[in-house]
Amino acid sequence: MTLLLFLKSLQRKAEKELKEAKELKQLDDIFQKYLGKKGELTAILRSLEKLPETKRAKVGKQANNLKNLVKQRIEVKAKKMRLVKEVAKKTDWIDVTIPGRKPLAGHLHPLTQIKSQAEEVFQSIGFSVVEGPEIENEWYNFDALNIPKDHPARDAWSTFWLKDSKLLLRTHTSPVQVRYMEKNNPPLRIIVPGRIFRHEATDASHEINFYQVEGLMIDKKVSAANFKAIIQEFFKRFFGKETKIRMRPSYFPFTEPSFEVDMSCLNCRGEGCPVCSQTGWLEMMGAGMVHPTVYKATGLNPKYWQGFAFGIGMDRLAMMKYKINDIRLFYGGDLRFLNQF
Ligand code: PHE
């Protein structure tokens, strides 16, 4: 084989190997194999001087071309490989300038949302928001509200008593009426949103703990007509539409006269559905004109003052607003339910 043909076959071999090389190390090996100290091409280049002059120019040119070609291919390919490596490395980095993933955040419970909405509406018609303790004594929860010991009306509020004490979990928010009247002189206009407790069996409309919004308005000439107007306005603003209400006579020891207030069911517009147990009406609150005994218990003179009190079932407000027919859903902690609000 002539040297020229040998160079050609060397070139084919080198090109094939270069094509197949996948690692920088392989490129290095190829360099050594052809152009290293003991490289095949190096050997030819060294032997050029021994060639007769006629051949030397031609073979020399070919050999140098091949040398340049191999060198150039290796360089180009190595550059590419280094770039790929660099990019791969970069994707492993932590880029601290990228905004972090948002941690899962909770949101307000539907009843908390309802509480703020109710507060807002009452504040917009001149009521202040007041709070009271969840652990009460008999005086505030019962006696001062004209429910003395052994009075049958106490049975209406099945009570959780605290062990070894005369304390109890308040069965309604009405004790805060008493606490507030003791410390403040009329005119009074307050609401008291809060948690209450009843020792009762639970079902779709009863829970052992739930929420009320107590209301109290006392001045020189506050009538049941004022009560009706204010409650109607409250419902209108709270539900965002005109709602029908009706007042039925009722009995509470701390009000006289007493009423129960129903609103027309928003779910079926009064036609009857599961939310309103087919009646078209939902009982929303107990209310009445503050009883003289309560004024006396708090040091106010019933001759000078008159007013009304009410206790709205906050859970019922929420059930009506969101069309929920089971109160227990609010307390079950099921995220599939809660995430809808
Ligand atoms: N406290 C009563 C209840 O829990 C509701 C009520 C409040 C009634 C104020 C009259 C006046 O049922």
Side-chain angles (χ1 to χ4, degrees):
M1 189 160 37
T2 66
L3 263 176
L4 282 177
L5 279 177
F6 181 63
L7 278 172
K8 273 227 158 96
S9 79
L10 214 56
Q11 178 169 348
R12 261 183 265 120
K13 210 163 70 167
E15 270 174 343
K16 187 164 174 268
E17 283 170 15
L18 277 165
K19 215 174 160 188
E20 283 165 2
K22 299 233 152 53
E23 308 272 19
L24 279 168
K25 169 86 176 60
Q26 284 169 289
L27 292 179
D28 242 322
D29 292 344
I30 293 169
F31 184 86
Q32 292 305 329
K33 184 172 172 189
Y34 297 96
L35 297 170
K37 267 188 194 154
K38 291 177 184 161
E40 295 182 57
L41 196 51
T42 312
I44 294 175
L45 287 166
R46 273 207 198 109
S47 67
L48 282 178
E49 50 182 7
K50 290 178 201 141
L51 286 181
E53 269 207 40
T54 44
K55 274 190 177 175
R56 197 189 298 163
K58 236 182 172 186
V59 177
K61 200 174 162 209
Q62 280 276 16
N64 271 316
N65 279 350
L66 182 55
K67 179 181 160 184
N68 290 336
L69 182 122
V70 172
K71 257 187 162 170
Q72 202 203 352
R73 290 268 169 95
I74 287 178
E75 248 164 57
V76 169
K77 197 150 181 178
K79 217 177 184 177
K80 241 193 197 164
M81 283 180 178
R82 278 194 206 103
L83 201 74
V84 170
K85 254 194 172 166
E86 196 77 351
V87 170
K89 227 193 207 167
K90 265 190 188 147
T91 53
D92 279 347
W93 289 358
I94 295 171
D95 183 347
V96 292
T97 65
I98 290 175
R101 250 181 248 140
K102 262 198 182 165
L104 219 61
H107 66 287
L108 294 179
H109 189 280
L111 286 175
T112 311
Q113 295 180 32
I114 288 292
K115 177 172 170 263
S116 336
Q117 289 167 18
E119 284 173 0
E120 244 165 64
V121 173
F122 275 117
Q123 280 170 329
S124 75
I125 44 185
F127 285 75
S128 324
V129 179
V130 169
E131 287 189 347
E134 290 175 0
I135 294 175
E136 268 298 4
N137 58 35
E138 280 183 87
W139 168 255
Y140 288 111
N141 197 80
F142 292 126
D143 300 76
L145 289 165
N146 197 26
I147 321 170
K149 252 199 195 69
D150 304 322
H151 191 290
R154 278 208 185 185
D155 298 344
W157 291 276
S158 332
T159 309
F160 281 113
W161 293 91
L162 297 188
K163 230 177 176 175
D164 304 326
S165 79
K166 291 200 158 161
L167 299 174
L168 53 92
L169 298 180
R170 67 177 176 194
T171 59
H172 48 183
T173 41
S174 299
V176 191
Q177 286 183 38
V178 180
R179 288 180 176 276
Y180 196 76
M181 285 161 82
E182 274 178 351
K183 295 222 169 85
N184 298 275
N185 285 318
L188 308 177
R189 229 191 296 181
I190 58 158
I191 57 155
V192 187
R195 187 182 188 188
I196 65 165
F197 307 83
R198 303 241 174 124
H199 194 342
E200 286 174 348
T202 61
D203 63 29
S205 43
H206 294 91
E207 254 297 354
I208 58 168
N209 89 108
F210 54 104
Y211 288 82
Q212 283 186 332
V213 187
E214 191 82 10
L216 178 70
M217 178 166 173
I218 293 175
D219 205 332
K220 292 222 166 83
K221 283 181 187 160
V222 175
S223 70
N226 296 138
F227 166 72
K228 192 176 180 196
I230 280 175
I231 286 307
Q232 208 134 28
E233 188 61 24
F234 168 73
F235 279 145
K236 187 175 160 186
R237 294 194 192 183
F238 182 83
F239 290 109
K241 53 184 148 194
E242 213 69 57
T243 49
K244 263 198 275 175
I245 66 167
R246 70 177 186 192
M247 287 158 68
R248 287 179 287 109
S250 184
Y251 170 73
F252 297 101
F254 37 94
T255 47
E256 180 59 34
S258 303
F259 352 97
E260 229 136 0
V261 182
D262 301 338
M263 69 175 283
S264 57
C265 180
L266 293 177
N267 193 40
C268 59
R269 293 210 196 83
E271 276 163 27
C273 70
V275 175
C276 58
S277 320
Q278 309 302 332
T279 61
W281 294 95
L282 266 125
E283 189 190 314
M284 300 301 286
M285 73 184 85
M289 303 306 292
V290 177
H291 196 284
T293 315
V294 181
Y295 291 105
K296 284 179 199 153
T298 56
L300 295 176
N301 188 341
K303 285 208 182 99
Y304 295 150
W305 305 111
Q306 60 184 44
F308 60 77
F310 58 84
I312 308 178
M314 203 144 79
D315 305 73
R316 301 224 168 138
L317 282 179
M319 288 165 87
M320 195 66 313
K321 187 143 191 174
Y322 299 131
K323 304 189 171 63
I324 293 160
N325 58 11
D326 195 327
I327 188 174
R328 292 169 294 190
L329 287 167
F330 290 125
Y331 304 97
D334 188 335
L335 288 177
R336 290 170 302 177
F337 171 74
L338 295 174
N339 282 338
Q340 294 177 51
F341 300 94

